[in-house]
């Protein structure tokens, strides 16, 4: 299976333009492609994971990645998917964040010997002449058409600043610059970037002719990536000082049953043949699949040694034989109703929360797990039989308790 067909089989591709031409470029290692990263924090998070893994896959197939750091566009902020205006950052903060990104990206992408390049759009955006920009680029954009873009329609409800309105033009100009400077012929992005990406393709073709080799492809980077990359308690970072390897491992170990194979397919480098064999897995086998997912992704970000440590720690923590030193709480028969006890009562009886309302918030915010499985339903309940050998309950990152029958 060639790389383009593999991307489709892994469920990565949502929409494309010029599919046959893109297939030809990618499968023959002729794509010079870019993906943009806004430096809005000093660490990448797992919402960026799909983009990084995609760049690695395509580079392994002989294509050349361009990691575009949005040092210039970050001065404005992308309105896509937002209901309010992004806070302004200083030039110094943006530069610091860019430097942090470079270090983390190098774990995924080989920048040696010109195999990939990293550029900052501040290099061409910060020195633009306003009148020249209006004449050279602005003339190719229809305001009426721009206002039909989903990213602008959402922001129009609360007020769209002229500053943000320029984002599509600036992103389109990025593609033009990358095309002229580096021969970039393909752009990738999340499905919420489709309008911005089409703007770049059309700008190149209008300025350089319809036969200009500029194509776009969108991936489920944001609808899926952001869903996976953020929890109610905040982002899951790639920086070990922000999210430890153990916490990173546990995040992936706790994905929902319905998502585990999708994540393995999209994010790991296991063969599709191996993954297809897991399609029939159910019950305890899904827990095995989650361990595979967590180990593979932790290894990719933090190295194999840290991945092994995280896996061993997780297994020891949730092994009933190794939970003896944990705080223990006893549940009496009187605490059961109709043969079961609900998660909010368990949390309160274990001392992990002071009230049912606090327990409700913890569950709703994704901060509660039982035996390593995240609990998302405040009505979840457990029988005496399930508690007979004890049950490890976790709240937040560091609060654990072994609940046993009295």
């Amino acid at each position: 299976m060639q790389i383009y067909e593999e991307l489709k089989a892994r469920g990565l591709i949502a929409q494309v333009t010029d599919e046959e031409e893109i297939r030809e470029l990618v499968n023959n290692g002729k794509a010079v492609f870019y993906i943009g990263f806004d430096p809005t924090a000093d660490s990448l998070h797992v919402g960026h994971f799909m983009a990084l893994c995609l760049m690695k896959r395509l580079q392994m197939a002989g294509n050349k990645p361009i990691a575009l750091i949005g040092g210039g566009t970050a001065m404005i902020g992308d309105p896509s998917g937002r209901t309010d205006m992004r806070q302004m950052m200083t030039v110094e903060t943006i530069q610091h964040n860019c430097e942090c990104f470079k270090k983390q990206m190098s774990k995924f992408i080989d920048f040696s010997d010109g195999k990939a390049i990293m550029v900052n759009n501040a290099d061409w955006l910060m020195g633009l002449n306003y009148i020249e920009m209006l004449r050279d680029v602005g003339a190719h954009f229809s305001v009426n058409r721009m206002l039909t873009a989903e990213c602008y329609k959402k922001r129009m409800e609360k007020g769209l600043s002229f500053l943000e309105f320029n984002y599509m033009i600036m992103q389109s100009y990025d593609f033009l610059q990358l095309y002229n400077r580096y021969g970039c012929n393909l752009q990738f992005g999340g499905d919420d970037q489709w309008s911005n990406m089409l703007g770049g393709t059309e700008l190149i073709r209008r300025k350089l002719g319809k036969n200009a080799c500029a194509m776009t492809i969108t991936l489920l980077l944001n609808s899926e990536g952001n869903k996976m990359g953020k929890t109610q308690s905040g982002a899951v970072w790639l920086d070990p000082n922000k999210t430890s390897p153990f916490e990173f491992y546990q995040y992936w170990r706790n994905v929902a049953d319905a998502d585990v194979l999708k994540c393995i397919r999209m994010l790991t480098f296991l063969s599709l043949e191996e993954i297809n064999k897991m399609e029939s897995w159910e019950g305890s086998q899904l827990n095995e699949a989650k361990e595979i997912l967590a180990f593979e992704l932790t290894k990719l970000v933090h190295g194999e040694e840290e991945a092994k440590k995280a896996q061993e720690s997780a297994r020891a923590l949730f092994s009933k034989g190794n939970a003896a030193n944990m705080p223990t709480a006893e549940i009496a028969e009187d605490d059961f109703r109709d043969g079961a006890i609900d998660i909010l009562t368990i949390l309160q009886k274990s001392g992990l929360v002071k009230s049912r309302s606090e327990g409700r918030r913890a569950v709703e915010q994704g901060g509660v797990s039982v035996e390593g499985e995240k609990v998302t339903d405040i009505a979840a309940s457990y029988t005496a039989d399930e508690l007979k050998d004890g049950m490890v309950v976790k709240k937040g990152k560091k609060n654990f308790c072994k609940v046993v029958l009295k």
Side-chain angles (χ1 to χ4, degrees):
M1 183 182 294
Q2 291 186 287
I3 185 62
Y4 185 79
E5 286 67 35
E6 181 179 346
L7 296 180
K8 294 190 75 171
R10 288 182 180 273
L12 291 168
I13 297 177
Q15 305 180 74
V16 301
T17 65
D18 312 283
E19 184 170 36
E20 288 307 312
E21 290 86 347
I22 291 173
R23 179 184 282 109
E24 173 72 16
L25 280 177
V26 169
N27 285 345
N28 289 286
K30 296 178 181 178
V32 180
F33 67 96
Y34 94 90
I35 298 180
F37 299 83
D38 276 344
T40 53
D42 60 1
S43 172
L44 296 166
H45 57 71
V46 294
H48 298 113
F49 215 70
M50 200 178 296
L52 295 169
C53 291
L54 172 79
M55 296 175 86
K56 183 177 177 72
R57 290 184 206 282
L58 287 170
Q59 187 180 52
M60 290 168 64
N63 299 285
K64 183 175 181 177
I66 300 175
L68 177 64
I69 305 297
T73 41
M75 299 294 289
I76 289 181
D78 184 2
S80 298
R82 300 183 62 83
T83 58
D84 56 358
M85 186 171 171
R86 179 175 287 161
Q87 288 188 336
M88 296 288 185
M89 295 187 296
T90 66
V91 174
E92 292 75 19
T93 298
I94 291 172
Q95 182 58 36
H96 171 71
N97 293 350
C98 289
E99 291 170 0
C100 294
F101 278 21
K102 288 180 184 179
K103 183 178 179 180
Q104 292 177 351
M105 285 182 182
S106 295
K107 295 180 179 180
F108 294 82
I109 306 164
D110 181 4
F111 289 99
S112 67
D113 303 322
K115 296 174 185 174
I117 57 175
M118 182 177 293
V119 295
N120 188 332
N121 64 12
D123 293 346
W124 54 81
L125 291 179
M126 298 299 283
L128 280 175
N129 177 286
Y130 185 62
I131 298 299
E132 182 181 342
M133 180 69 170
L134 287 176
R135 289 173 59 87
D136 191 42
V137 178
H140 296 284
F141 287 82
S142 163
V143 171
N144 289 349
R145 185 171 178 183
M146 289 172 71
L147 289 174
T148 64
E150 194 63 30
C151 62
Y152 288 146
K153 285 196 292 185
K154 289 181 179 178
R155 289 288 286 114
M156 287 288 284
E157 297 174 6
K158 285 198 172 184
L160 175 71
S161 72
F162 183 71
L163 186 71
E164 294 170 292
F165 188 65
N166 279 270
Y167 193 91
M168 182 185 293
I169 297 175
M170 294 178 73
Q171 183 171 329
S172 299
Y173 187 68
D174 283 346
F175 195 13
L176 176 63
Q177 286 293 316
L178 293 171
Y179 179 90
N180 287 333
R181 293 176 182 226
Y182 307 106
C184 182
N185 52 26
L186 189 58
Q187 59 178 329
F188 289 76
D191 54 359
D192 65 343
Q193 295 287 312
W194 185 240
S195 297
N196 293 347
M197 295 169 68
L198 286 178
T201 298
E202 292 172 2
L203 175 63
I204 292 175
R205 291 179 177 175
R206 285 171 183 164
K207 288 186 66 63
L208 305 177
K210 292 185 177 180
N211 293 326
C213 185
M215 307 169 188
T216 59
I217 181 170
T218 67
L219 308 171
L220 293 173
L221 296 182
N222 284 295
S223 64
E224 295 296 332
N226 281 350
K227 176 183 174 183
M228 293 185 292
K230 293 183 179 179
T231 65
Q232 293 293 331
S233 58
V236 177
W237 304 102
L238 305 193
D239 184 343
N241 295 315
K242 290 178 175 287
T243 300
S244 71
F246 174 76
E247 292 167 342
F248 188 85
Y249 179 95
Q250 282 298 101
Y251 175 81
W252 295 108
R253 175 61 181 80
N254 289 330
V255 299
D257 289 357
D259 292 336
V260 60
L261 288 181
K262 178 171 62 178
C263 291
I264 289 176
R265 194 178 297 277
M266 288 181 168
L267 302 178
T268 75
F269 287 79
L270 298 177
S271 71
L272 286 170
E273 183 180 13
E274 288 180 83
I275 298 169
N276 289 338
K277 291 177 181 177
M278 301 180 191
E279 290 288 351
S280 60
W281 287 12
E282 55 186 23
S284 61
Q285 286 180 306
L286 287 178
N287 288 329
E288 182 182 345
K290 292 178 185 181
E291 284 198 341
I292 292 171
L293 172 67
F295 180 82
E296 291 295 323
L297 299 190
T298 306
K299 180 175 70 173
L300 189 59
V301 175
H302 299 295
E304 187 165 3
E305 184 178 350
E306 290 295 334
K308 287 180 178 177
K309 288 180 182 177
Q311 187 174 67
E312 290 168 2
S313 297
R315 286 175 174 174
L317 179 63
F318 292 108
S319 167
K320 294 177 176 60
N322 289 285
N325 295 325
M326 246 185 235
T328 301
E330 295 182 335
I331 301 294
E333 291 183 8
D334 293 344
D335 296 318
F336 287 78
R337 297 290 180 271
D338 298 324
I341 183 170
D342 66 89
I343 185 62
L344 300 185
T345 301
I346 289 175
L347 287 169
Q348 192 171 11
K349 291 288 183 180
S350 66
L352 292 173
V353 301
K354 294 180 180 179
S355 64
R356 291 180 67 85
S357 59
E358 183 184 347
R360 179 188 295 269
R361 286 194 300 272
V363 171
E364 291 175 341
Q365 292 171 0
V368 174
S369 63
V370 172
E371 291 293 291
E373 296 288 333
K374 183 173 288 187
V375 179
T376 58
D377 183 1
I378 60 171
S381 61
Y382 304 86
T383 65
D385 188 57
E386 290 175 291
L387 280 164
K388 67 180 181 181
D389 295 322
M391 189 169 71
V392 178
V393 182
K394 174 186 173 186
K395 173 185 169 284
K397 296 178 179 179
K398 300 179 180 179
N399 300 308
F400 300 88
C401 185
K402 184 177 182 181
V403 179
V404 298
L405 283 175
K406 190 173 183 178

